[in-house]
């Protein structure tokens, strides 16, 4: 990986552009991880607020429903926010759209902070909804920007930094939410507002970074501006001229604009749409988000006294394996990492079914259950976690890419939202056998990846798009002999 960085003559502008962009996912991760540990304290705030208004405490059932709404409303907001990806990206550019979306994060942090002072749990729920709109926009806008400013041989690795930032944010949120730090009765509101730090930092950094050269040339027709942006990003005139010619060649045989109707009707988009749908659904519905992020503390709590610190261990493993994915993305490729990830998740879920089924008979297996949770985290972050967010940007050409990324965001956040709602009742109905559902989904995603997904490592956008344009449903083989469709 370091060799690739040196070969690419990595410029300070490119590095700052990518790091400035990934401050968005850091905020998302923070608000994913910080609500788990202090849940009871915030629930007590809900109850005391209700008691002050109605002179009676809220029922346990109502309190649980209200807390579930507070947690899942972020994912619902993200589902709504993803609908605006194409309009923002095409109307204002990739970089400027990220800055516009960041306003929502700043507003959400201020609203959540005000909830305690105002004595209103509705304000907290509103703040998480607004933050959800930010999530739905920025996870796709970021990938568009990073993919389009990065050189081909570093595109996947830099896109993986999005997931590294997200996982780091989750870990920071977990630490901030502990009672020994800020997850206390007096400090929880301030804890929720700390995402203002990366949000405001982004406003100090990203405005000085160049806009996507591909957007300037292929969407705006601004060749001089595109050349200037490329020169800042690459630092060498010879690299700029060759990359500019490549963009012109691609622009010559692609449409300038694609509507949603065109996107759904175009034959060359059908295979990529199928791949994006099934890879992203496989990533979200293989059980990672429900078991690991939302319910890991509750699961561990039944077995261990120090449940919150075990959950913190999950966060550490999460970050570690996103870094592993970063270093292996341009060596192993997207396809191989996805196959390893989905197969490992399927096997771990199957083993978790067995362990949970006999745990009451063999309590000593509780340590194995925790180990399997860590293995699921590792497998997810090695491939499905980071790749599912950026694979659409590589499979589609310039006019179709914003809609494809909006689709990615909708499927990812929609999957999280549905799973957060369905997992508790499914667990009650199916018990340990709920993990068999996750096993089946993971194995289906493995099969689709094996049979349909081409390797995109080291290939230009036009080269990948040409494969789909030329095939029109005819099976092809890549250089390694695997079916690409």
């Amino acid at each position: 990986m370091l060799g690739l960085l040196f070969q690419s003559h990595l410029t300070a502008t490119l590095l700052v552009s990518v790091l400035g962009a990934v401050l968005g996912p850091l905020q998302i991760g923070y608000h994913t991880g910080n609500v788990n540990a202090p849940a009871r304290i915030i629930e007590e705030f809900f109850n005391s607020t209700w008691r002050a208004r109605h002179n009676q405490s809220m029922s346990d059932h109502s309190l649980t429903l209200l807390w579930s709404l507070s947690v899942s409303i972020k994912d619902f907001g993200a589902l709504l926010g993803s609908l605006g990806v194409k309009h923002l990206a095409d109307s204002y550019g990739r970089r400027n759209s990220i800055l516009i979306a960041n306003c929502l994060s700043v507003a959400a942090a201020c609203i959540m902070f005000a909830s305690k002072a105002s004595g209103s749990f509705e304000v907290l729920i509103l703040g998480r909804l607004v933050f959800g709109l930010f999530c739905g926009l920025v996870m796709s806008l970021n990938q568009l920007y990073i993919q389009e400013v990065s050189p081909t041989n570093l595109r996947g690795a830099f896109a993986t930094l999005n997931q590294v930032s997200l996982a780091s944010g989750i870990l920071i949120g977990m630490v901030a939410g502990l009672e020994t730090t800020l997850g206390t009765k007096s400090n929880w509101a301030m804890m929720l507002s700390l995402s203002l730090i990366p949000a405001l930092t982004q406003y100090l950094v990203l405005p000085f970074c160049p806009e996507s050269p591909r957007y300037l040339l292929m969407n705006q027709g601004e060749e001089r501006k595109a050349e200037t942006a490329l020169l800042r990003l690459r630092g060498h005139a010879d690299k700029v001229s060759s990359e500019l010619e490549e963009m012109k060649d691609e622009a010559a045989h692609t449409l300038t604009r694609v509507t949603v109707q065109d996107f759904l009707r175009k034959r060359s988009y059908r295979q990529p749409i199928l791949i994006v749908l099934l890879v992203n659904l496989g990533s979200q519905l293989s059980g990672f988000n429900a078991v690991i992020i939302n319910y890991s503390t509750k699961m561990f709590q039944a077995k261990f006294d120090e449940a919150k610190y075990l959950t913190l261990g999950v966060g550490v493993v999460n970050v570690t394996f996103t870094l592993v994915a970063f270093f292996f993305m341009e060596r192993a490729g997207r396809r191989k990492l996805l196959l390893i990830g989905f197969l490992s998740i399927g096997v771990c879920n199957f083993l978790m079914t067995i362990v949970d089924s006999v745990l009451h008979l063999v309590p000593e297996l509780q340590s194995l259950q925790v180990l399997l949770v860590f293995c699921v985290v590792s497998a997810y972050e090695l491939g499905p976690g980071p790749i599912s967010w950026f694979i659409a940007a590589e499979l589609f050409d310039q006019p179709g890419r914003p809609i494809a990324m909006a689709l990615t965001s909708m499927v990812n956040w929609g999957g999280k939202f549905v799973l957060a709602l369905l997992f508790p009742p499914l667990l009650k109905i199916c018990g340990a056998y709920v993990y068999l559902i996750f096993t089946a989904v993971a194995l289906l995603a493995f099969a689709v990846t094996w049979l349909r997904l081409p390797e995109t490592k080291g290939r230009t956008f036009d080269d990948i798009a040409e494969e789909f344009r030329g095939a029109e449903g005819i099976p092809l083989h890549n250089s390694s002999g695997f079916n690409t469709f």
Side-chain angles (χ1 to χ4, degrees):
M1 185 66 215
L2 292 175
L4 282 175
L5 291 173
F6 287 121
Q7 289 169 23
S8 301
H9 301 289
L10 181 66
T11 62
T13 301
L14 174 58
L15 189 60
V16 170
S17 298
V18 173
L19 294 179
V22 300
L23 288 171
L26 185 70
Q27 301 167 56
I28 296 171
Y30 180 76
H31 282 289
T32 301
N34 66 9
V35 295
N36 201 356
R40 289 182 182 176
I41 292 170
I42 301 177
E43 283 177 352
E44 178 53 36
F45 165 71
F46 287 1
N47 208 0
S48 61
T49 302
W50 185 269
R51 206 160 39 236
R53 294 176 188 174
H54 304 286
N55 292 321
Q56 61 178 7
S57 296
M58 197 180 294
S59 68
D60 289 343
H61 178 68
S62 299
L63 188 59
T64 301
L65 281 178
L66 190 60
W67 177 249
S68 298
L69 174 66
S70 304
V71 173
S72 59
I73 197 74
K74 174 173 73 71
D75 296 340
F76 179 69
L79 183 60
L80 296 179
S82 62
L83 298 174
V85 171
K86 173 178 164 51
H87 174 71
L88 275 180
D90 283 345
S91 301
Y92 301 100
R94 297 2 180 182
R95 182 202 62 185
N96 292 341
S97 296
I98 294 171
L99 293 170
I100 292 169
N102 200 39
C103 293
L104 291 169
S105 178
V106 173
C110 294
I111 292 170
M112 286 187 279
F113 178 72
S115 61
K116 185 181 178 183
S118 63
S120 171
F121 57 76
E122 294 91 347
V123 172
L124 177 58
I125 294 171
L126 174 63
R128 284 187 64 82
L129 176 63
V130 173
F131 189 77
L133 296 174
F134 163 76
C135 296
L137 288 167
V138 84
M139 283 300 285
S140 288
L141 292 171
N142 260 28
Q143 293 291 9
L144 277 173
Y145 181 69
I146 292 171
Q147 291 261 325
E148 292 185 7
V149 300
S150 301
T152 300
N153 64 331
L154 292 175
R155 197 176 59 217
F158 279 166
T160 305
L161 286 177
N162 227 41
Q163 194 74 9
V164 173
S165 182
L166 181 73
S168 301
I170 291 173
L171 179 58
I172 294 168
M174 286 176 171
V175 173
L178 294 174
E179 286 183 36
T180 51
T181 51
L182 295 173
T184 62
K185 191 174 182 180
S186 57
N187 292 326
W188 65 264
M190 183 179 71
M191 176 199 70
L192 294 178
S193 70
L194 290 183
S195 59
L196 279 171
I197 296 171
L200 296 176
T201 303
Q202 190 169 65
Y203 280 124
L204 298 175
V205 175
L206 208 55
F208 302 100
C209 300
E211 178 56 89
S212 159
R214 299 182 69 85
Y215 171 79
L216 292 171
L217 179 68
M218 301 177 72
N219 291 71
Q220 300 295 100
E222 300 275 5
E223 185 175 339
R224 282 192 176 182
K225 288 184 179 179
E227 188 175 357
T228 302
L230 259 181
L231 191 58
R232 289 183 64 194
L233 290 164
R234 302 292 180 263
H236 291 270
D238 55 336
K239 290 194 173 189
V240 169
S241 58
S242 61
E243 200 166 334
L244 209 58
E245 285 304 314
E246 176 198 310
M247 290 183 203
K248 289 179 184 177
D249 290 343
E250 182 181 345
H253 54 254
T254 56
L255 300 172
T256 53
R257 289 189 181 276
V258 171
T259 64
V260 175
Q261 290 83 357
D262 295 333
F263 182 82
L264 296 173
R265 290 173 184 167
K266 197 173 179 185
R267 289 190 66 195
S268 61
Y269 285 173
R270 290 176 188 173
Q271 290 285 355
I273 288 173
L274 175 68
I275 293 167
V276 168
L277 278 174
L278 292 176
V279 167
N280 280 278
L281 283 173
S283 175
Q284 295 307 321
L285 301 182
S286 58
F288 169 83
N289 288 289
V291 178
I292 310 307
I293 302 302
N294 293 330
Y295 298 97
S296 56
T297 294
K298 292 180 182 178
M299 187 173 76
F300 289 147
Q301 215 148 22
K303 317 286 190 294
F304 297 92
D305 293 331
E306 300 299 326
K308 292 174 183 176
Y309 296 100
L310 277 172
T311 306
L312 203 59
V314 171
V316 172
V317 173
N318 207 21
V319 174
T320 301
F321 276 84
T322 56
L323 289 170
V324 172
F326 169 73
F327 284 105
F328 278 92
M329 192 61 65
E330 298 301 346
R331 289 184 178 183
R334 290 52 151 166
R335 178 186 164 84
K336 190 176 291 184
L337 291 178
L338 276 176
L339 289 171
I340 293 171
F342 281 131
L343 184 61
S344 300
I345 290 172
V347 170
C348 288
N349 276 313
F350 181 72
L351 292 175
M352 207 176 286
T353 305
I354 298 172
V355 170
D356 259 29
S357 300
V358 300
L359 198 60
H360 64 288
L361 299 174
V362 191
E364 292 79 10
L365 288 177
Q366 59 189 21
S367 297
L368 179 58
Q369 186 189 45
V370 174
L371 179 62
L372 286 172
V373 168
F374 285 0
C375 289
V376 170
V377 174
S378 307
Y380 177 83
E381 295 297 7
L382 188 63
I387 296 171
S388 62
W389 279 107
F390 73 76
I391 194 65
E394 295 192 320
L395 296 179
F396 288 84
D397 56 19
Q398 186 73 10
R401 195 170 296 126
I403 303 178
M405 291 308 298
L407 176 66
T408 294
S409 191
M410 288 178 67
V411 174
N412 267 293
W413 291 110
K416 287 178 196 283
F417 180 67
V418 168
L419 200 59
L421 292 178
L422 293 185
F423 180 70
L426 278 175
L427 192 60
K428 285 184 179 179
I429 295 168
C430 305
Y433 298 104
V434 71
Y435 299 111
L436 289 179
I437 299 173
F438 300 148
T439 300
V441 172
L443 294 180
L444 174 63
F446 172 86
V448 169
T449 302
W450 177 268
L451 296 171
R452 301 281 180 175
L453 180 67
E455 181 53 73
T456 58
K457 178 189 73 170
R459 300 172 65 185
T460 64
F461 288 123
D462 195 37
D463 179 34
I464 299 165
E466 185 61 39
E467 184 171 330
F468 290 108
R469 280 196 298 266
E472 293 292 358
I474 300 171
L476 295 182
H477 290 75
N478 61 20
S479 58
S480 56
F482 290 113
N483 283 330
T484 58
F485 284 173

